[in-house]
Amino acid sequence: MLIALAGNPNTGKSSLFNAITGAHQHIGNWPGVTVEKKEGTITFEGKKITIVDLPGTYSLTAYSLEEVITRNFILEEEPDVVVDVIDATNLERNLYLLTELMELTDRIVIALNMFDEAKKKYKLDVKKMRELLGLPVIPTVAIKDKGIKDLLHACLHGYFKPKKLSYPEDVENRVEKLQRMMENLDLKNKRWHAIKLLENDSEVRKKFANLGRKDILHEAEHLRHEIEDIYGDDIETLIASFRYSFAHGLFHEVAEPLNVGGVTITDMIDHVVAHKIFGLPIFLVVMYLSFEFVFVVAAPFQDAIDLIFNGKTLASGQHINGLIDISYHWMASFMPNWASSFINYGMLRGLAAVLTFTPIIMFLFLILSILEDSGYLARVAFLMDKLMRKIGLEGRGIISLMLGFGCNVPAVMSTRALKNERERELSIALNPLIPCGARIQVFAFITAIFFKHNQALVMWSLILLSMGVVALLGYVYSKTIFKGKAEPFVMELPPYRVPSLKGIFIHMWEKSEGFLRKAGTIIVGAAGIIWLLAALPWGVQFGGENSYIGQIAHFLAPVGAPFGITPESIIALFFGFFAKEVVIDVFYVLYGTKEALFAAMTPLQAYSLLLFILFYTPCVATLATIYNETKSTKFVLFVILEGFALALFFSFLAYTIGSFLGVGG
Amino acid sequence: MKLSELMPGETGVVTKVAGTGAIHRRLLAMGILPGTVIRVARLSPFGDPIEYEIRGVFISLRKSEADYVEIDRIIPLHMVPAGEKVRVMILDGGVNFIRNMGSIGISPGKIIEILSPCCPMRVRTALGEHYVGKGEAYRIYVR
Ligand SMILES: Nc1nc2c(ncn2[C@@H]2O[C@H](COP(=O)(O)OP(=O)(O)O)[C@@H](O)[C@H]2O)c(=O)[nH]1
Ligand SMILES: [Mg+2]
């Protein structure tokens, strides 16, 4: 048996899906698009039931991907039951989608979700609603697992005799006329097709054009104009009005509002939080505190994982063995050294890198889930929209960019919140230019050595430069390669809610697990390749000047010269591709002490190197994530080229101007 | 006038939703239709987008989107001071509500005079003097 969950965004569909399926779920994409598809299987009353979470939609037009996915799924897969998840606190608007669903299928069960909150707002007559609709209506509270059994029971044994919305006679006549013209077509649900044709629905028109039925299209066009003439408005407004008056009528039949005119808590909070003047400073404080939290909590986990696997090299140069070292020595006792080295210093080190990424991904997603589920994210979108639009993104784009300062991996993953495909791609293309925590760590290390007296100034110059570049590129990209037509931004500002722990943990787990599974293999693979370049020909110092990478760096030395970049730096950059913070370790290995590093470069060369590190290719984990999110190798190559182009440009500029002026030399 | 011209705190009733394509359809799906009552809740820091309350829900519209919506300005009855004469425009409720209000002479197009302010409000209609409670005054819109 197949059950599909449909409903407006934010009605608790995902919560209901989680409540029904528990841990038995699978997340993927809808074929060919990046809209998430969730599927789960359960056994209820001895029956195997598959449940699909459809994308949240307000209507079923042909204008958005989500809406087309939803209606095609219902038309083509013919689920046994469609559960319309309705936010009972917002009944009237939610009933609009129901009128559309009822035109698609008869087998609908209504989940009257958020019933706990709705009870405070209205007196609801569920029984009357059942009678008026002729469909099962089940009150549910998804976050408290309430009403789930009743809901499933209704799906299996419900009584479906829907009392459908009928349009005024002038319209019904014309629908029937079109239906009659379709009589000999092999087409399910002719009434729905007829209505959609009258509505001038582009997808359905295409379908009829493909069937070679121009006659039906012409007739529909003619009938549409007749209706528009009779009622004196455009067909879309008319049809929407008919549906809404049904929703409006039903709503007032079953809901008796309590305490009209009262001020809600949400309104009071928004009075401050979404305030014209206070809103932005509050947002900055919230983000700052969130980051503090993430770093304070995640850092010990990351350090611990790093210590356990990689051990530690003390300032004195003495090395304390980690798991990888221990495992290397153990394996070397029964297999060739090179094999043990490959397994441990290649693959296992890759795995360790994947694991060290995990805490920060988990905690950033923890924050993101809290922001989203509490309703604050929608306020951020509201506050930031005008500003972000200048760089071609909607207000929510700010979140992905800011997460980038933590780690580009979850930041890129978080672009899913952007509904618009073009904006998502733009956001992904800009994200790696934001210096992540690891890069900032490297900056701190290098600036502390070379710019003792104005470290803060140099750090800020890098961060501000990256923000300037993101703003400028965003502006240029949105006018050129990521140009698109305006899409509706119309967004709901849901009431503030205390997020449910379960929802947050499921979200956190989904994202981290997705990263480990999908990006993990790519990262471990890359670690293997890096080992090959650094350890071969066998017998050389790992990453030393005789290794392949050392030879490449030597070969590239003339290329680095105009930028003031030394062969040792090239080796460090090469390892930094794997994970940016590794640059620090490599410098230690190559130079031994900070003093030696200080002696090896002028401050100008160091600054040029910093600029290079700021922009050159994102790390493997970020690239793997970008690939997962876009499924496009071309896009990944684009991001790499973009990074190198900026890195070369700015290093060259800084080094040339600096040399010319004779500063920092 | 255009919806985007309405000031924070003011209320309007939609007369037309212009435009074509995705934005037009989305506005309609959100329930912004001729006859819908809509109130400006607040402006964002840069004055765009704008938050509106409609059918008990808060939504955010960009100015460019709100430009598609034509409205007439109206006032909820509870905000009208004593002594004013106003014309009833909209009764925002179900059939029972509309019937009850009709029975005391409050229906669209009728002129009523406010005798004492909200709430309860005392009003004079063609059918005599009546009290209007808070729950009702908030759902009657006048001009
Ligand atoms: N009070 C209450 N909150 C709920 C209920 N169901 C979901 N929520 C909350 O509503 C918000 C949106 O839920 P979500 O499942 O993400 O909705 P979706 O966008 O439709 O998938 C979350 O903050 C949930 O915790 C419910 O029955 N009662
Ligand atoms: Mg969801």
Side-chain angles (χ1 to χ4, degrees), chain A residues 58-61 63-64 67 89-90 92-93 96 100 121-122 196 199-201 232-234 236-238 240-241 243-245 248 252-253 256-257 260-262 264 266-268 270-271 274-277 279-280 379 381-387 389 393-395 423 486-494, chain B residues 8 14-36 39 41-66 68 78 91-100 133-141:
Chain A
Y58 293 111
S59 56
L60 297 178
T61 67
Y63 284 106
S64 88
E67 300 185 24
T89 65
N90 183 358
E92 190 175 349
R93 222 267 319 285
Y96 179 80
E100 286 218 54
K121 197 168 168 185
Y122 311 112
K196 283 288 161 192
E199 277 191 87
N200 208 6
D201 184 282
D233 212 333
D234 62 89
E236 287 145 345
T237 307
L238 289 172
S241 298
R243 290 185 183 139
Y244 254 109
S245 52
H248 185 78
H252 283 291
E253 285 287 326
E256 187 86 44
V260 178
T264 60
T266 292
D267 214 24
M268 287 193 289
D270 270 343
H271 212 69
H275 189 269
K276 209 169 153 46
I277 296 162
L280 288 179
R379 272 68 186 184
F382 176 68
L383 293 169
M384 296 301 300
D385 190 61
K386 182 77 181 274
L387 211 57
R389 224 180 312 159
L393 298 175
E394 57 141 299
E423 289 187 14
E487 290 201 24
F489 176 64
V490 184
M491 172 188 68
E492 212 176 326
L493 296 164
Chain B
V14 178
T15 54
K16 171 130 191 86
V17 185
T20 51
I23 294 171
H24 182 231
R25 290 302 291 265
R26 177 61 61 79
L27 292 170
L28 296 171
M30 298 301 282
I32 300 174
L33 295 161
T36 306
R39 185 179 71 85
R42 64 179 57 81
L43 302 179
S44 65
F46 305 99
D48 179 19
I50 304 168
E51 183 180 342
Y52 295 99
E53 183 181 2
I54 158 189
R55 296 175 200 262
V57 187
F58 290 90
I59 60 170
S60 144
L61 294 185
R62 286 179 179 159
K63 234 183 174 125
S64 56
E65 292 161 346
Y68 285 122
H78 72 94
L91 296 176
D92 194 13
V95 274
N96 288 337
F97 178 64
I98 292 171
R99 192 179 333 107
N100 292 343
K134 187 179 173 195
E136 287 135 10
Y138 273 79
R139 291 151 73 192
I140 300 169
Y141 294 91

Side-chain angles (χ1 to χ4, degrees), chain A residues 8-15 113-117 140-143 373 497 500:
Chain A
N8 286 1
N10 246 313
T11 54
K13 267 175 341 86
S14 301
S15 307
N113 196 36
M114 312 240 183
F115 202 72
D116 50 338
E117 285 185 18
T140 59
V141 182
I143 49 169
D373 283 1
R497 296 197 170 93
S500 87

Side-chain angles (χ1 to χ4, degrees), chain B:
Chain B
M1 67 191 282
K2 281 179 181 166
L3 176 58
S4 53
E5 293 162 1
L6 215 55
M7 291 294 156
E10 290 185 336
T11 308
V13 55
V14 178
T15 54
K16 171 130 191 86
V17 185
T20 51
I23 294 171
H24 182 231
R25 290 302 291 265
R26 177 61 61 79
L27 292 170
L28 296 171
M30 298 301 282
I32 300 174
L33 295 161
T36 306
V37 175
I38 184 161
R39 185 179 71 85
V40 184
R42 64 179 57 81
L43 302 179
S44 65
F46 305 99
D48 179 19
I50 304 168
E51 183 180 342
Y52 295 99
E53 183 181 2
I54 158 189
R55 296 175 200 262
V57 187
F58 290 90
I59 60 170
S60 144
L61 294 185
R62 286 179 179 159
K63 234 183 174 125
S64 56
E65 292 161 346
D67 274 343
Y68 285 122
V69 183
E70 292 281 334
I71 52 133
D72 282 334
R73 193 185 281 126
I74 53 174
I75 307 171
L77 186 61
H78 72 94
M79 284 171 64
V80 182
E84 300 246 327
K85 274 191 180 166
V86 290
R87 181 189 295 275
V88 177
M89 301 298 294
I90 306 256
L91 296 176
D92 194 13
V95 274
N96 288 337
F97 178 64
I98 292 171
R99 192 179 333 107
N100 292 343
M101 290 299 106
S103 70
I104 58 170
I106 298 178
S107 39
K110 296 274 161 53
I111 305 277
I112 59 174
E113 185 183 349
I114 317 303
L115 301 175
S116 72
C118 188
C119 285
M121 241 173 164
R122 198 163 166 74
V123 299
R124 183 182 293 130
T125 71
L127 302 179
E129 288 186 14
H130 297 276
Y131 277 108
V132 176
K134 187 179 173 195
E136 287 135 10
Y138 273 79
R139 291 151 73 192
I140 300 169
Y141 294 91
V142 300
R143 190 155 63 190

Side-chain angles (χ1 to χ4, degrees), chain A residues 415-535:
Chain A
T415 57
R416 289 238 171 176
L418 303 177
K419 287 285 164 277
N420 184 327
E421 190 66 22
R422 176 192 64 79
E423 289 187 14
R424 265 194 72 206
E425 288 178 355
L426 173 56
S427 180
I428 294 175
L430 295 177
N431 208 288
L433 308 179
I434 302 270
C436 60
R439 265 176 283 175
I440 291 176
Q441 224 175 304
V442 176
F443 297 160
F445 171 78
I446 294 178
T447 51
I449 294 173
F450 287 94
F451 307 98
K452 282 195 196 72
H453 303 298
N454 34 24
Q455 189 184 3
L457 185 73
V458 173
M459 291 283 286
W460 275 108
S461 76
L462 297 169
I463 289 171
L464 290 178
L465 175 69
S466 80
M467 285 162 69
V469 167
V470 165
L472 187 71
L473 272 191
Y475 179 80
V476 173
Y477 281 171
S478 65
K479 296 256 183 292
T480 52
I481 39 179
F482 293 102
K483 197 168 151 179
K485 56 181 188 315
E487 290 201 24
F489 176 64
V490 184
M491 172 188 68
E492 212 176 326
L493 296 164
Y496 288 104
R497 296 197 170 93
V498 179
S500 87
L501 274 181
K502 186 172 153 196
I504 289 173
F505 281 116
I506 288 182
H507 191 209
M508 222 167 97
W509 169 245
E510 273 170 18
K511 292 294 179 182
S512 314
E513 190 249 11
F515 167 76
L516 285 175
R517 193 159 38 83
K518 293 189 205 141
T521 37
I522 300 183
I523 296 172
V524 173
I529 294 172
I530 285 181
W531 181 91
L532 291 176
L533 289 171

Side-chain angles (χ1 to χ4, degrees), chain A residues 184-253:
Chain A
N184 47 11
L185 285 177
D186 174 28
L187 200 63
K188 279 169 250 162
N189 210 334
K190 299 196 168 67
R191 178 178 161 85
W192 182 80
H193 283 93
I195 295 169
K196 283 288 161 192
L197 279 181
L198 283 181
E199 277 191 87
N200 208 6
D201 184 282
S202 57
E203 293 281 314
V204 175
R205 278 179 41 196
K206 235 183 277 163
K207 197 165 176 176
F208 280 82
N210 289 343
L211 287 170
R213 294 303 298 265
K214 286 259 163 55
D215 57 324
I216 296 181
L217 287 176
H218 283 307
E219 183 63 18
E221 177 115 8
H222 172 69
L223 295 174
R224 181 168 66 247
H225 288 313
E226 281 185 358
I227 296 173
E228 289 181 335
D229 285 343
I230 296 172
Y231 290 92
D233 212 333
D234 62 89
I235 193 81
E236 287 145 345
T237 307
L238 289 172
I239 299 273
S241 298
F242 297 141
R243 290 185 183 139
Y244 254 109
S245 52
F246 177 84
H248 185 78
L250 187 67
F251 166 63
H252 283 291
E253 285 287 326

